[in-house]
Amino acid sequence: MNFKKIGVVVATGLTVITLASCGKNDANSDIVTMKGDTIRVTDLYAQTKEYPTTGASTLLQNMTFNKIFEKEFGKKVSDKEVAKEFDTQKASLGTNFASALQQAGYTESSYKDSIRSQLLLKAAVVNKIEFTDAAYKSAFETYHPEVSALILPEKSADDAKAKIADAQKSPDDFDKAAKAQKGDLKFDSASTSVPKEVMAAAFKLKDGEVSAEPITVMDPQTGASSFYVVKMVKNADKGTDWKKYKKELKAVITTTKQNDTQFVNSIITKYLKDYNVKVKPKEFANTFAAFESTTDSSKAKK
């Protein structure tokens, strides 16, 4: 699982000192002012206790964004949605969930808060996306509809080659082995549960066909390689009518925009201006510097 925070940075030992100096010993001193709201020293102190490994400037960013997006989109993000996402993430890690939370610096409560923040930001992004026919058609060009395939991961290329040979000699045994390892999967080109390299190779296979060579996937963080064998069960021809996949394509467009840093930053910049966000203490003068020169080349809606 990938625990996400908005703009996470590592906290330094100067955080408490900075807070004390900017507050000038007054816990009610304003740090950030905005239309209809403020963030005071006491508010930031509370957040540093909740998120002890996150820097004060990043906390200020998150607190400001949350206040703005709650006002704009709070009614669009329900507690039910937050709980659903939380349960999904928890189920994906099983018994490792508690340790993963701890390593990421979360409690269950603070992680739910983080999920809500992510959903609020998503709502802000979706609100600015122009879902035009041109956008749908562009997404359709690289979209592959859902397929069913059997996927087996192996530790080495030689093991994968041996598995490919086994699949050719005894297809039924291969199928049983893959299903026993929960390798019976359904996915489309927008899925995140299957490595992109594996999906690309799978989409080229005909029904019943097995990958001729091991599919190598390298972990970008560790550099370690893993090897996959794929057998296509049921491939799909998307045809030419993009409207059949409008729901799926909307999700593709949304994800693409969410991952477009410039587009997201341009949205945040607009809201910072609309809410007249100001930072008072000079210690935090650069808190929103990354958004001050952002331009919207992605043509977000006005």
Side-chain angles (χ1 to χ4, degrees):
M1 177 167 64
N2 181 20
F3 291 113
K4 297 179 181 178
K5 297 180 184 178
I6 301 174
V8 172
V9 298
V10 178
T12 69
L14 297 176
T15 299
V16 176
I17 297 174
T18 303
L19 278 170
S21 63
C22 79
K24 298 179 180 179
N25 300 318
D26 182 359
N28 289 318
S29 294
D30 292 337
I31 300 179
V32 175
T33 62
M34 68 190 83
K35 185 173 66 176
D37 215 332
T38 61
I39 297 174
R40 298 184 173 88
V41 172
T42 184
D43 300 323
L44 187 52
Y45 266 123
Q47 286 291 291
T48 59
K49 292 179 180 179
E50 187 77 13
Y51 300 97
T53 62
T54 304
S57 290
T58 298
L59 289 175
L60 279 177
Q61 286 184 8
N62 294 348
M63 293 166 73
T64 302
F65 301 155
N66 284 343
K67 283 180 177 292
I68 292 173
F69 294 146
E70 277 289 356
K71 290 179 180 179
E72 294 286 337
F73 307 105
K75 292 181 179 179
K76 293 185 178 182
V77 178
S78 67
D79 291 341
K80 186 177 180 179
E81 286 181 271
V82 173
K84 181 180 179 180
E85 178 63 20
F86 179 87
D87 291 342
T88 298
Q89 298 290 359
K90 186 174 183 178
S92 71
L93 279 184
T95 57
N96 295 322
F97 182 70
S99 60
L101 276 181
Q102 186 176 19
Q103 290 175 9
Y106 284 113
T107 62
E108 288 198 0
S109 176
S110 63
Y111 183 51
K112 287 179 180 178
D113 289 342
S114 179
I115 289 174
R116 182 169 183 82
S117 296
Q118 293 169 39
L119 292 176
L120 287 169
L121 180 58
K122 180 180 179 179
V125 171
V126 171
N127 186 58
K128 295 296 182 181
I129 298 175
E130 294 182 342
F131 292 101
T132 62
D133 285 0
Y136 280 113
K137 291 176 182 178
S138 178
F140 183 65
E141 289 178 4
T142 56
Y143 177 73
H144 194 102
E146 186 178 82
V147 303
S148 297
L150 298 174
I151 300 176
L152 277 178
E154 298 294 338
K155 294 181 179 179
S156 69
D158 288 340
D159 289 341
K161 289 178 180 178
K163 192 65 67 175
I164 290 172
D166 291 342
Q168 301 293 348
K169 294 177 182 178
S170 181
D172 290 342
D173 289 343
F174 177 86
D175 293 357
K176 290 177 182 178
K179 291 176 181 178
Q181 295 183 40
K182 297 182 179 180
D184 189 0
L185 303 174
K186 291 184 178 182
F187 53 90
D188 65 10
S189 56
S191 299
T192 58
S193 58
V194 178
K196 293 295 184 183
E197 299 89 339
V198 177
M199 289 198 294
F203 295 148
K204 296 177 183 178
L205 300 175
K206 298 177 181 178
D207 293 0
E209 188 177 5
V210 179
S211 51
E213 296 292 336
I215 303 163
T216 304
V217 177
M218 180 177 291
D219 187 317
Q221 295 181 333
T222 66
S225 294
S226 52
F227 306 88
Y228 293 81
V229 179
V230 177
K231 180 178 180 179
M232 178 56 64
V233 176
K234 183 65 177 178
N235 208 329
D237 180 8
K238 68 180 180 181
T240 59
D241 185 7
W242 62 266
K243 293 181 180 178
K244 288 172 55 179
Y245 304 101
K246 193 168 184 178
K247 180 180 178 181
E248 292 84 354
L249 294 176
K250 185 173 183 178
V252 170
I253 295 169
T254 300
T255 299
T256 300
K257 288 299 187 181
Q258 281 183 279
N259 293 331
D260 184 341
T261 301
Q262 188 172 24
F263 183 78
V264 174
N265 283 359
S266 72
I267 293 171
I268 293 174
T269 297
K270 185 177 185 302
Y271 279 110
L272 291 175
K273 290 179 179 178
D274 289 348
Y275 275 76
N276 194 29
V277 173
K278 304 292 183 184
V279 182
K280 287 196 170 184
K282 63 180 181 181
E283 290 84 358
F284 293 110
N286 293 323
T287 296
F288 300 105
F291 307 101
E292 290 174 356
S293 60
T294 299
T295 58
D296 182 16
S297 65
S298 299
K299 297 182 181 180
K301 288 190 296 185
K302 302 296 183 182

